[in-house]
Every structure is written in C-alpha cells, then in structure tokens.
C-alpha cells in the first residue's frame, strides 16, 4: 500500500503515488488487490507489486574454480543459472573472450528474450570503480586504456553492463537474501583465494571516495617479507587467504611435516584450499593447525576494525568459510581476545548464508539497483520528495 511504501522509502505519499502511476502506465507496476489497512480505520487500500516480466538482470561471478552466471527478474527471483567449472578465472584477454562467449550462450538458452535483459553486472576482485566502470586490477589490459571495462564487456555481450567489486557484491547478496537480517552496520569478510571486506554503514554499502574501500587483505600486518600480488610485503592476505593456506601447507610438507593429503592426493602441488579444509574436518593435525592459525590472525585484525566501526555483526563468507567451523570458531576467539569487551559484548559473528551463490545473487541485485536508479533519475524532478 502507498502509505507503507512511503514509510519504507522515505518518499512523500504524493511522490510515491506519482511513481506508482507512472510505473503502472509503463507496465512496471501492477495493482493486485485491496486489503484492509489497520492504519486507516478499516478502509481498504490497494496492494501493488512489480511486474516480474518487465525486466531481467544478469549477474556474472568470476571465481578461481569456475564461472557462475545467473538471471533474475525484477522481483528478485532467480529464473536461470549455470556454472562453468571449466572456466576457472584467469586474468587474460583470452579468458575474457571465453567468458563472454559462455555468457552469450547462456543468454541464448535461458528462455528470456535478450531485449528483456536490462542490465548485467560483472563481479571483479580488486580495485573497482563502479561508478566509472573502471577496474584497476582485473582485465586492466593495455588495449583497454581508452574505454571503461564495463563498456567493453557490455559491448561484447550486447547488454548494458556495470562492474562491482566481488566482495561488495557478496554483501549485496547477503542483504537481498536477508542474511544481514536487520543489521544496519556490519562487516562482510570474503575469505577466498584472496581476502576482501564489504562494509555496511547505517544500512548502506560503503564504497569510499573512489570506490576502493574494503582492501582489508592489503593492510600491513606481518614482517614476513612475503611479496603480495599487490606488490607490497607483509599484507594480511599473505598469511590469511586460500592462497596462503596452500603455500603454508606446501612449506610445512617440505620441512618434513606429514598429512593425510600426502597419501590421498595424486599430486601434492595440485592441493587446493578446499582439500585442506576437508582434511582439517577429518582431524588432520597439520591442516587443523593451518586453519586455526589463520582464523586467530583474521580475528585479531578484525578486532581492530570492530574497535573502530562498532558493527552489529561480522559475516564470514567466501570459499574458505564453506564447511569450515574451525575457521569460524578461531575467528571468534581472536575477536574476543583482541577487541574491547564493551564493543564485542553484543557482536554477532556468523557464516555467510550461501558462500557459493551469494556473489552472483549480489551481482544481479547491483544490476537491478543501477537500472532502477537510472529509471528514477530520468523522471521529472519537480516532485515532492
């Protein structure tokens, strides 16, 4: 009902009424039924809903273990999805071409006319300026200098596109799935091959002045002389990430430590972080030690952020969080030890609702948000807000 929409959005009732009328005329909004309103002395009010066939939104999530593509209608319902495990991420022009070919094939087979897909969003790790559509880390090839990567990708698949940092997209996915519940302030940790951070402040995703907020993995935390892929030494990510877990495991094996993975794996060099997690769950001592140490170190650095931001919750997501109670409990121990008791007293620390799919859901939501923002921005400005 209009009063409820006004209360939720903060727009005045005349403004909401105008938007709804325009939405109905354009087929975006439909009137459903009249229901009795408790706030109008029993009078009946009209219920409105979005027309699910108005527009669709494509989400693309690039991961080390594969490519995930999803299509969402305007109501937030996923209508088609696929995973290409053979397309594990590589930062090369060849991979980008293969990715776009796979996306176009998905579009042709999803059952929704291409003209109905209003926007697409690509999740990209590293430094991403969503507003300008520029990536400074991934797909930042010399040949792309004259055009934002969002435009290049959009041209390749034939759909207007945006890009978003993968961790912030995961946070957006959690919000849409209700994973953040009623939290207004929370920190989302993406513990995957790398380490990222999404920040929710006062109910809004915080991006920073240039869109680069959340480079948690690149704070200087160690004097280990290990060069991070960012070019700096001692980054948190060099000791706390899937890539770090694999490196530490191989170093320990080279020093004479033993693990069940040495006997069950055909090639020890092909060990993945997931293998280490599974071995830890099966009580492999070496793998348990690696996961526990990473969790405590992560908890210690999160404690610093908790003391600064005073969030309601910390959500641990990413591929390293999946089936990994040991990591979660170790993080909790680190937070409890190093953050102020008064601040962490009511803090909730929990795992992501769906580490595998939350990112692509978030990508669809970002695409939808951009479409709706542009739609409302195109409306006449002489209205009461």
């Amino acid at each position: 009902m209009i009063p409820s929409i006004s209360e939720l959005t903060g727009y005045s009732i005349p403004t909401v009424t105008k938007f709804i009328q325009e939405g109905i005329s354009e087929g975006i909004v439909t009137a459903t039924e009249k229901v009795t309103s408790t706030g109008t002395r029993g009078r009946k009010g009209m219920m409105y809903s979005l027309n699910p066939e108005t527009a669709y939104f494509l989400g693309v999530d690039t991961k080390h273990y594969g490519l995930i593509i999803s299509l969402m209608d305007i109501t937030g319902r996923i209508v088609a999805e696929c995973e290409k495990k053979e397309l594990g991420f590589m930062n090369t022009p060849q991979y980008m071409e293969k990715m776009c070919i796979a996306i176009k094939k998905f579009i042709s087979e999803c059952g929704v006319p291409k003209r109905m897909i209003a926007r697409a969003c690509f999740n990209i790790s590293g430094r991403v300026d969503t507003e300008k559509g520029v990536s400074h880390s991934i797909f930042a090839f010399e040949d792309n200098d004259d055009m934002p990567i969002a435009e290049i990708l959009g041209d390749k698949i034939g759909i207007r596109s945006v890009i978003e940092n993968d961790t912030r997209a995961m946070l957006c996915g959690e919000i849409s799935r209700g994973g953040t519940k009623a939290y207004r302030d929370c920190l989302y940790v993406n513990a995957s091959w790398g380490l990222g951070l999404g920040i929710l402040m006062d109910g809004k995703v915080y991006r920073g002045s240039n869109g680069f907020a959340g480079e948690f993995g690149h704070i200087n935390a160690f004097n280990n002389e290990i060069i991070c892929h960012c070019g700096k030494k001692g980054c948190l990510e060099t000791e706390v990430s899937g890539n770090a877990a694999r490196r530490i495991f191989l170093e320990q094996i080279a020093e004479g430590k033993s693990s069940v993975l040495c006997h069950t794996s055909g090639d020890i060099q092909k060990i993945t972080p997931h293998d280490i997690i599974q071995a830890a769950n099966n009580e492999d001592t070496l793998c348990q030690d690696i996961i526990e140490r990473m969790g405590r170190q992560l908890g210690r650095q999160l404690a610093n952020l908790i003391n600064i931001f005073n969030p309601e919750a910390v959500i641990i997501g990413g591929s390293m969080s999946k089936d990994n109670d040991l990591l979660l409990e170790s993080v909790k121990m680190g937070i409890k030890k190093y953050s102020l008791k008064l601040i962490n007293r009511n803090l909730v620390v929990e795992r992501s609702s769906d580490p595998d799919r939350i990112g692509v859901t978030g990508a669809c939501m970002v695409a939808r948000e951009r479409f709706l923002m542009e739609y409302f921005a195109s409306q006449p400005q002489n209205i009461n807000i």
Side-chain angles (χ1 to χ4, degrees):
M1 292 182 289
I2 288 177
S4 300
I5 297 172
S6 174
E7 184 179 349
L8 285 170
T9 62
Y11 290 112
S12 67
I13 287 180
T15 298
V16 172
T17 302
K18 180 179 177 62
F19 280 151
I20 286 177
Q21 289 173 347
E22 290 174 349
I24 290 174
S25 66
E26 295 183 20
I28 296 175
V29 177
T30 58
T32 53
E33 59 179 330
K34 283 190 174 183
V35 295
T36 302
S37 170
T38 57
T40 55
R41 298 183 179 181
R43 287 183 295 176
K44 289 192 173 184
M46 183 67 72
M47 293 287 290
Y48 298 94
S49 63
L50 293 170
N51 179 357
E53 297 181 357
T54 300
Y56 295 83
F57 305 94
L58 186 75
V60 181
D61 201 18
T62 55
K63 296 182 179 294
H64 273 79
Y65 59 80
L67 178 72
I68 304 177
I69 311 168
S70 189
L71 191 67
M72 174 186 286
D73 68 23
I74 200 168
T75 69
R77 182 175 64 94
I78 300 296
V79 298
E81 189 172 273
C82 76
E83 181 176 350
K84 301 288 186 180
K85 292 186 177 179
E86 70 276 13
L87 287 178
F89 176 75
M90 296 180 68
N91 189 25
T92 65
Q94 294 78 15
Y95 174 83
M96 188 170 74
E97 289 296 331
K98 290 179 180 179
M99 175 184 70
C100 291
I101 290 171
I103 293 168
K104 288 190 288 187
K105 186 173 187 293
F106 170 82
I107 293 170
S108 68
E109 297 175 349
C110 69
V112 173
K114 184 178 178 179
R115 59 181 172 79
M116 299 297 294
I117 304 176
R119 294 291 184 279
C121 176
F122 292 77
N123 291 349
I124 297 177
S125 63
R127 272 68 68 198
V128 171
D129 187 333
T130 303
E131 291 303 313
K132 295 181 180 178
V134 175
S135 168
H136 295 271
S137 305
I138 303 301
F139 300 150
F141 311 128
E142 290 184 4
D143 293 344
N144 298 346
D145 287 347
D146 296 333
M147 186 183 293
I149 189 63
E151 289 186 29
I152 293 172
L153 292 169
D155 288 346
K156 286 182 179 295
I157 66 171
I159 297 171
R160 289 184 62 184
S161 298
V162 298
I163 59 173
E164 179 59 283
N165 171 270
D166 58 348
T167 304
R168 283 199 296 267
M170 294 167 85
L171 173 58
C172 292
E174 289 286 352
I175 294 170
S176 72
R177 291 273 190 92
T180 58
K181 300 184 176 69
Y183 303 142
R184 300 284 296 173
D185 299 270
C186 78
L187 302 175
Y188 184 95
V189 179
N190 176 14
S192 300
W193 278 87
L195 186 67
L197 182 74
I199 305 167
L200 188 71
M201 295 178 63
D202 195 25
K204 298 179 181 178
V205 177
Y206 181 72
R207 289 181 168 84
S209 60
N210 299 114
F212 305 146
E215 290 297 328
F216 183 44
H218 300 293
I219 63 172
N220 187 272
F222 304 104
N223 293 318
N224 57 16
E225 293 300 305
I226 297 175
I227 299 177
C228 180
H229 68 85
C230 73
K232 305 291 186 181
K233 292 182 180 180
C235 291
L236 177 60
E237 192 172 294
T238 63
E239 298 287 353
V240 181
S241 63
N243 196 40
R246 183 179 178 278
R247 190 203 72 242
I248 294 167
F249 175 83
L250 293 174
E251 288 174 349
Q252 295 287 301
I253 295 300
E255 291 174 7
K257 298 288 183 66
S258 62
S259 167
V260 67
L261 293 177
C262 295
H263 308 292
T264 59
S265 173
D267 184 352
I268 200 71
Q269 295 298 323
K270 293 183 179 180
I271 290 295
T272 67
H274 178 72
D275 295 328
I276 295 171
I277 293 169
Q278 291 300 107
N281 290 339
N282 290 326
E283 301 185 355
D284 183 278
T285 303
L286 174 59
C287 294
Q288 285 180 329
D289 289 345
I290 292 171
I291 297 297
E292 283 181 341
R293 183 173 71 169
M294 283 182 51
R296 290 194 301 270
Q297 290 169 335
L298 177 56
R300 180 173 185 169
Q301 297 304 325
L302 281 171
N304 294 325
L305 299 183
I306 289 163
N307 289 341
I308 295 170
F309 288 105
N310 185 27
E312 300 167 86
V314 173
I315 301 175
I316 309 297
S319 56
M320 289 293 292
S321 72
K322 186 178 180 182
D323 302 323
N324 199 349
D325 292 335
L326 185 58
L327 179 72
L328 184 65
E329 294 307 313
S330 300
V331 168
K332 289 179 180 179
M333 290 173 59
I335 289 173
K336 187 175 182 179
K337 182 176 181 180
Y338 292 106
S339 62
L340 295 174
K341 185 176 181 180
L342 185 63
I343 294 179
N344 72 38
R345 180 173 56 189
N346 297 317
L347 179 74
V348 176
V349 182
E350 59 188 8
R351 193 175 11 246
S352 168
S353 59
D354 187 356
D356 288 333
R357 292 292 188 271
I358 208 69
V360 77
T361 299
C364 292
M365 296 302 297
V366 171
R368 188 181 76 163
E369 178 186 20
R370 179 60 64 91
F371 169 77
L372 292 175
M373 285 175 60
E374 292 173 358
Y375 170 78
F376 285 118
S378 69
Q379 302 306 303
Q381 298 300 304
N382 57 338
I383 51 178
N384 258 337
I385 295 181

